[in-house]
């Protein structure tokens, strides 16, 4: 009898044993459907001896129902699932669900409806929008959504054209092949530094062995064009490539550059894809590059767990970005997991950044990572100087947030026909709204956070739980009308200030609110590149990936903002953010300038930015981390307990604290109410664990937590290597 153990995609069930009917092949990695009581569950056949489970008599086992017609998950991916669950103290089934994230890939319809223009002559006079659609959609075919983006008209216009017989539906296969990338489509003109580094990366791809590489290049040095060369080599060898990007909004900019280099777009994977698009991508990835499958995949962090048939290279772009860290569910860091996937696949992985994480630089200094440098900008462009504006001396006018030097800089760029960028990492109009009559502050009822005013959408919004409400006409506390006051600036308020100072300036706001989809991001990029925008006001979204040659001034509205609060990596994060946004200036032939507003010009990180002395900053930060036993010299972990009942959460935290282990190489701090003590209606308490590198941190945490008997309403989350401390 052929007996198998399944990893089912339900964390509460654990591993379950089944039999395989005669004549059915189900090697490890096979995805199957199995009966469970009156229903069925999806499971993955796992390797013998690697999953704990109860031994059941063979006579009591039920046979699996069917084998899902997808390739078995390869051994390197199964090992990655095991490692991720073990390292991040996560449930194995929760990690496996990320592999099978596209449920539609396992079944469902094989065709979908797309649309194209007909040969019918228009009856009567055409509206301007219909005429535009007819002009732009010649030779195009796609879904209504895709054609709407291509034509620049609403979906309603296109549906009306279907009814008028101008557009017709056609049935197409969902799993149709993607356009093929050509490694030699448009060979770039690389600088000597780029050619040297690209050559070493190409050799790493040819070697077909594990090689973690840190690509450290200043902003504007051409890192993307450089790592495109090993991508091209992998394409020539018929192997797949994964490129991870930290933000969906960066995807469109990257796709444009990729298509110019390789003649076709890569396969895209992110949360905005429709279910049919996810199915098509998942199945193409599982088929492999040489079987009409996916060659190059560009995606967000979740793309790391897709079932690549023959992965030859991983690139993590902007590898320092904290958005690679998942803060809910399986709390993994895609930068670190990508290195482990490369290790299991026995392939090179490239971590590209202008401001690498201190942990990555430390790994390079110890020889664990190989470090390749691009020390200068492409084409002779110079890095812009950073000039400090001391807000204690250069005070903005009453009710304003821009100092005289920034205003003068904006004026000069507008007169010269050049572009400017103002950076403030705060969405919305104002972070706090209060009543001038009674002092009432508008708080989120679900979170211990203020509601942020968004004037563009006429909403008060919580940036933690997503709650939105209209600003009331009267104060809910005292009943006074017209008494609400906005406190502090957000990007919308800065944009209003620029518009008031320069009424003729064309101002664009660039945040996740305004560039939340790839289509909107593409529209923004097209406008900026065409010179249709004079001043960009943006958050951290504009600190990376964008290349606007006419942008010559960057103004940082509040450089001190990132130094506030309890972030243990505040200095490093501030340095990275400011250096990245400063790197948007002067990327073309014209010189750039950066003006940095601060009230703390003597802070070490601000001084390092002004002096352009990255090495000195990292050396000082490294020594501070060494003294504190912080990463990379020690380990951090967080434990977060939460409940809808504050007393229940507090008592559970206290009981866990009372039973803490007392070990020489592990220090446990807490419990304490989390800085964000209420989040989405749940009260939260935190522990912070600091351990030496020699400690079995995960083993200590598991043994400690598993001894507890928590109430049903209490959730316990473990965050290994945390980046969020709220």
């Amino acid at each position: 009898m052929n007996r198998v153990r399944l990893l089912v995609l339900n964390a509460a069930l654990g591993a379950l044993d089944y039999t395989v009917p005669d004549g059915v092949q189900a090697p490890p990695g096979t995805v199957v459907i199995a009966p469970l009581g009156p229903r069925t569950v999806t499971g993955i056949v796992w390797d013998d001896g690697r999953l704990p489970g109860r031994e059941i008599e063979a006579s009591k086992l039920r046979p699996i129902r069917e084998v899902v017609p997808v390739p078995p998950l390869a051994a390197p991916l199964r090992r990655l699932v095991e490692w991720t669950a073990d390292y991040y103290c996560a449930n194995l089934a929760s990690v496996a669900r990320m592999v099978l994230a596209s449920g539609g890939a396992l079944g469902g319809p094989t065709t979908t409806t797309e649309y194209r223009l007909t040969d019918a002559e228009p009856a009567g006079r055409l509206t301007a929008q219909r005429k535009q659609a007819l002009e732009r959609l010649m030779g195009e075919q796609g879904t209504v959504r895709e054609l709407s983006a291509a034509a620049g008209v609403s979906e309603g216009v296109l549906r009306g054209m279907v009814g008028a017989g101008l557009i017709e539906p056609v049935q197409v296969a969902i799993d149709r092949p993607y356009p093929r990338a050509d490694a030699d489509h448009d060979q770039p003109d690389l600088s000597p530094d780029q050619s040297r580094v690209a050559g070493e990366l190409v050799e790493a791809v040819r070697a077909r062995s594990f090689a973690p590489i840190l690509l450290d290049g200043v902003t504007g040095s051409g890192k993307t064009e450089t790592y495109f060369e090993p991508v091209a080599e992998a394409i020539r060898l018929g192997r797949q490539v994964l490129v991870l990007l930290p933000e969906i909004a960066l995807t469109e900019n990257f796709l444009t550059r990729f298509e110019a280099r390789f003649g076709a777009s890569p396969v895209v994977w992110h949360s905005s894809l429709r279910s049919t698009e996810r199915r098509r991508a998942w199945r193409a990835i599982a088929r492999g590059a040489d079987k009409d499958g996916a060659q190059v995949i560009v995606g967000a962090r979740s793309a790391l767990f897709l079932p690549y048939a023959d992965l030859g290279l991983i690139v993590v772009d902007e590898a320092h970005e904290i958005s690679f860290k998942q803060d809910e569910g399986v709390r993994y860091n895609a930068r670190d997991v990508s290195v482990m996937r490369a290790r299991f696949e026995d392939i090179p992985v490239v971590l590209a950044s202008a401001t690498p994480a201190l942990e990555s630089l430390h790994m390079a200094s110890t020889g664990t990572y190989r470090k390749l440098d691009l020390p200068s900008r492409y084409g002779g462009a110079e890095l812009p100087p950073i000039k400090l504006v001391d807000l204690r001396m250069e005070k903005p006018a009453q009710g304003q947030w821009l100092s005289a030097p920034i205003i003068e800089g904006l004026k000069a760029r507008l007169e010269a026909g050049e572009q400017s960028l103002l950076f403030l990492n705060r969405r919305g109009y104002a972070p706090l709204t209060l009543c001038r009559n009674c002092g009432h502050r508008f708080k989120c009822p679900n979170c211990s956070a203020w509601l942020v005013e968004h004037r563009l959408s006429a909403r008060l919004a919580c940036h933690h739980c997503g709650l939105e409400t209209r600003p009331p006409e009267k104060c809910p506390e005292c009943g006074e009308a017209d008494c609400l006051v906005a406190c502090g600036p957000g990007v919308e308020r800065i944009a209003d200030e620029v518009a008031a100072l320069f009424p003729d300036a064309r101002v664009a706001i660039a945040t996740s609110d305004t560039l939340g989809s790839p289509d909107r991001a593409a529209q923004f990029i097209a406008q900026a590149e065409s010179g249709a925008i004079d001043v960009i006001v943006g958050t951290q979204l504009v600190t990376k990936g964008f290349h606007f040659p006419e942008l010559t001034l960057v103004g940082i509205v509040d450089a001190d903002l990132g130094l506030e609060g309890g972030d243990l990596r505040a200095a490093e994060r501030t340095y990275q953010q400011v250096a990245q946004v400063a790197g948007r200036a002067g990327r073309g032939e014209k010189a750039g300038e950066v003006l940095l507003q601060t009230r703390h010009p003597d802070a070490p990180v601000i001084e390092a930015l002004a002096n352009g002395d990255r090495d000195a900053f990292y050396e000082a930060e490294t020594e501070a981390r060494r003294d504190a036993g912080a990463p990379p010299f020690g380990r951090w972990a967080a434990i977060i307990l939460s409940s809808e009942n504050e007393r229940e959460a507090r008592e559970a935290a206290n009981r866990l604290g009372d039973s803490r282990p007392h070990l020489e190489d592990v220090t446990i701090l807490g419990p304490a109410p989390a800085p964000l003590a209420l989040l989405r209606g749940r009260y939260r308490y935190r522990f912070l664990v600091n351990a030496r590198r020699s400690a079995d941190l995960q083993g200590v945490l598991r043994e400690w937590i598993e001894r507890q008997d928590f109430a049903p309403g209490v959730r316990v989350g473990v965050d290994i290597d945390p980046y969020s401390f709220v």
Side-chain angles (χ1 to χ4, degrees):
M1 182 183 64
N2 193 359
R3 176 177 183 147
V4 293
R5 179 156 289 178
L6 300 188
L7 172 59
V8 294
L9 305 187
N10 185 324
L13 294 176
L16 299 176
D17 288 358
Y18 290 86
T19 60
V20 179
D22 291 340
V24 175
Q25 299 296 315
T30 303
V31 183
V32 301
I33 305 297
L36 183 68
R39 59 193 176 96
T40 59
V41 292
T42 301
I44 305 166
V45 177
W46 218 254
D47 311 66
D48 289 341
R50 300 190 73 96
L51 283 184
R54 290 189 302 143
E55 291 299 326
I56 307 295
E57 289 181 30
S59 60
K60 295 182 178 180
L61 298 182
R62 300 173 70 180
I64 61 173
R65 185 71 55 85
E66 65 176 285
V67 172
V68 178
V70 296
L73 307 181
L77 179 53
R78 301 198 302 275
R79 300 295 80 80
L80 182 76
V81 169
E82 293 171 349
W83 180 87
T84 303
D86 180 67
Y87 185 83
Y88 291 104
C89 295
N91 188 281
L92 203 60
S94 300
V95 182
R97 271 202 303 271
M98 297 193 292
V99 177
L100 301 179
S102 177
L106 306 181
T110 57
T111 62
T112 188
T113 303
E114 292 190 348
Y115 295 85
R116 66 189 179 193
L117 295 179
T118 66
D119 295 328
E121 287 293 325
R125 187 179 176 187
L126 286 173
T127 65
Q129 287 188 313
R130 288 190 176 188
K131 184 178 180 182
Q132 178 176 308
L134 289 174
E135 292 171 351
R136 295 188 180 181
L137 296 181
M138 291 293 293
E140 296 284 339
Q141 178 174 308
T143 64
V144 170
R145 178 184 173 190
E146 291 165 345
L147 295 183
S148 170
V153 300
S154 71
E155 294 184 14
V157 170
L158 298 184
R159 296 192 190 282
M161 293 175 70
V162 173
L166 300 175
I167 293 178
E168 64 182 358
V170 289
Q171 292 294 309
V172 297
I174 291 177
D175 298 333
R176 62 196 182 281
Y178 287 90
R180 307 296 287 174
D182 178 2
D184 302 307
H185 173 73
D186 186 13
Q187 294 280 4
D189 180 19
L190 299 180
S191 71
D193 278 340
Q194 286 177 307
S195 296
R196 169 183 54 80
V197 171
E200 296 192 49
L201 295 176
V202 166
E203 286 302 317
V205 171
R206 290 173 179 164
R208 296 181 179 235
S209 61
F210 175 55
I213 300 168
L214 177 60
L215 176 55
D216 184 2
V218 300
T219 55
S221 59
K223 292 183 291 295
T224 303
E225 288 72 19
T226 301
Y227 71 64
F228 273 172
E229 295 311 292
V231 170
E233 186 62 21
I235 292 172
R236 294 186 191 100
L237 295 172
R239 306 195 73 188
Q240 292 172 302
V241 178
L242 167 61
V243 181
L244 291 179
L245 299 178
E247 300 275 2
I248 293 175
L250 298 179
T251 306
E252 285 302 311
N253 185 37
F254 181 91
L255 296 184
T256 300
R257 298 168 73 176
F258 186 95
E259 189 168 352
R261 170 64 179 85
F262 296 104
S265 292
V267 176
V268 175
W269 183 271
H270 54 64
S271 58
S272 294
L273 295 180
R274 302 191 311 276
S275 59
T276 53
E277 294 170 326
R278 292 171 76 85
R279 172 198 162 109
R280 181 187 178 197
W282 196 96
R283 286 184 167 251
I285 288 164
R287 286 198 301 273
D290 59 348
K291 298 176 183 177
D292 288 330
Q295 297 169 290
V296 180
I297 299 84
V298 175
R301 58 185 176 236
S302 59
L304 195 51
F305 291 93
L306 294 173
Y308 301 96
D310 187 16
L311 198 55
L313 172 68
I314 299 173
V315 178
V316 185
D317 205 350
E318 308 288 358
H320 64 280
E321 275 295 321
I322 63 168
S323 51
F324 281 125
K325 182 71 161 71
Q326 172 100 354
D327 279 332
E328 294 181 342
V330 181
R331 293 177 164 94
Y332 68 96
N333 189 322
R335 179 195 69 210
D336 300 336
V337 177
S338 70
V339 174
M340 293 307 300
R341 175 130 205 194
R343 180 180 173 186
F344 290 126
E345 299 278 359
D346 206 21
I347 60 172
V349 54
V350 178
L351 309 179
S353 176
T355 53
L358 195 145
E359 289 88 343
S360 298
L361 287 171
H362 177 71
M363 296 292 270
S365 70
T366 61
T368 306
Y369 292 175
R370 183 178 173 192
K371 187 167 178 284
L372 300 177
D373 297 307
L374 290 172
S376 56
R377 284 188 155 184
Y378 181 79
E382 294 290 330
L383 285 168
I386 297 179
K387 300 175 183 177
L388 301 187
V389 178
D390 188 342
L391 291 177
R392 298 171 303 178
M393 311 296 291
E394 296 277 1
K395 296 182 180 180
Q398 184 71 28
Q400 294 187 341
W401 311 96
L402 301 179
S403 62
I406 285 187
I407 293 172
E408 289 301 316
L410 290 170
K411 181 181 179 182
R413 268 61 184 194
L414 288 168
E415 290 174 350
E418 298 169 3
Q419 293 172 317
S420 302
L421 165 63
L422 297 179
F423 169 72
L424 176 65
N425 201 27
R426 186 182 274 157
R427 292 160 48 209
Y429 184 84
L432 171 64
T433 300
L434 56 77
C435 171
R436 70 161 64 93
N437 185 54
C438 71
H440 172 73
R441 300 181 179 194
F442 287 80
K443 287 184 65 175
C444 175
N446 307 317
C447 307
S448 48
W450 310 122
L451 291 179
V452 178
E453 182 181 3
H454 286 252
R455 289 201 177 170
L456 290 179
S457 58
R459 291 287 189 274
L460 293 174
C462 176
H463 289 174
H464 299 285
C465 72
L467 177 137
E468 291 189 354
T469 183
R470 283 189 172 277
E473 295 181 1
K474 299 178 181 179
C475 173
E477 191 72 19
C478 68
E480 186 78 12
D482 298 325
C483 62
L484 304 187
V485 179
C487 300
V491 287
E492 293 178 16
R493 195 168 197 171
I494 299 301
D496 279 1
E497 185 174 336
V498 173
L501 290 166
F502 306 104
D504 295 331
R506 296 164 297 177
V507 182
I509 297 173
T511 71
S512 57
D513 300 311
T514 60
L515 307 183
S517 71
D519 289 344
R520 285 194 284 177
Q523 187 177 9
F524 163 72
I525 293 167
Q527 288 178 326
E529 289 179 341
S530 68
I533 299 172
D534 298 315
V535 181
I536 301 167
V537 184
T539 60
Q540 54 85 27
L541 202 62
V542 297
T543 65
K544 46 194 174 282
F546 295 115
H547 176 79
F548 303 135
E550 293 300 313
L551 200 158
T552 59
L553 173 68
V554 167
I556 296 159
V557 178
D558 188 352
D560 308 324
L561 189 60
L563 297 174
E564 300 169 359
D567 186 350
L568 300 178
R569 291 185 175 86
E572 178 188 15
R573 197 176 296 184
T574 295
Y575 186 92
Q576 290 168 336
Q577 208 165 64
V578 173
Q580 288 283 344
V581 73
R584 300 312 106 196
R587 295 170 72 94
E589 296 179 358
K590 300 173 182 176
E593 180 184 22
V594 180
L595 298 175
L596 185 153
Q597 294 189 161
T598 177
R599 290 178 177 82
H600 304 286
D602 299 329
V605 63
I606 302 297
E607 284 188 335
L609 286 162
N611 296 332
D613 197 346
R614 191 191 83 169
D615 292 344
F617 168 74
Y618 274 122
E619 286 172 12
E621 186 71 6
T622 297
E623 289 309 308
R625 298 267 189 99
R626 193 193 307 273
D627 292 342
F633 306 101
R635 303 277 307 284
W636 281 336
I639 301 174
I640 306 100
L641 291 90
S642 69
S643 170
E644 293 180 0
N645 183 292
E646 195 280 334
R647 180 178 176 181
E648 186 176 62
R650 174 167 31 88
E651 290 180 351
N654 288 335
R655 283 196 301 271
L656 184 61
D658 291 342
S659 66
R660 77 186 68 207
H662 297 279
L663 302 170
E664 205 172 285
D665 51 1
V666 177
T667 301
I668 300 172
L669 305 175
L676 202 57
L678 179 65
L679 178 64
R680 301 186 188 97
R682 300 186 67 85
Y683 295 91
R684 307 165 71 245
Y685 282 79
R686 291 181 65 102
F687 292 83
L688 181 64
V689 183
N690 185 206
R692 296 177 189 169
R693 303 295 303 185
S694 58
D696 177 14
L697 176 59
Q698 286 86 346
V700 169
L701 295 179
R702 279 196 202 90
E703 184 179 350
W704 178 28
I705 293 171
E706 287 172 1
R707 290 201 310 262
Q708 311 304 312
D709 185 19
F710 295 105
V714 174
R715 293 179 191 165
V716 182
V718 177
D719 191 356
I720 303 293
D721 305 331
Y723 274 71
S724 172
F725 298 91
V726 298

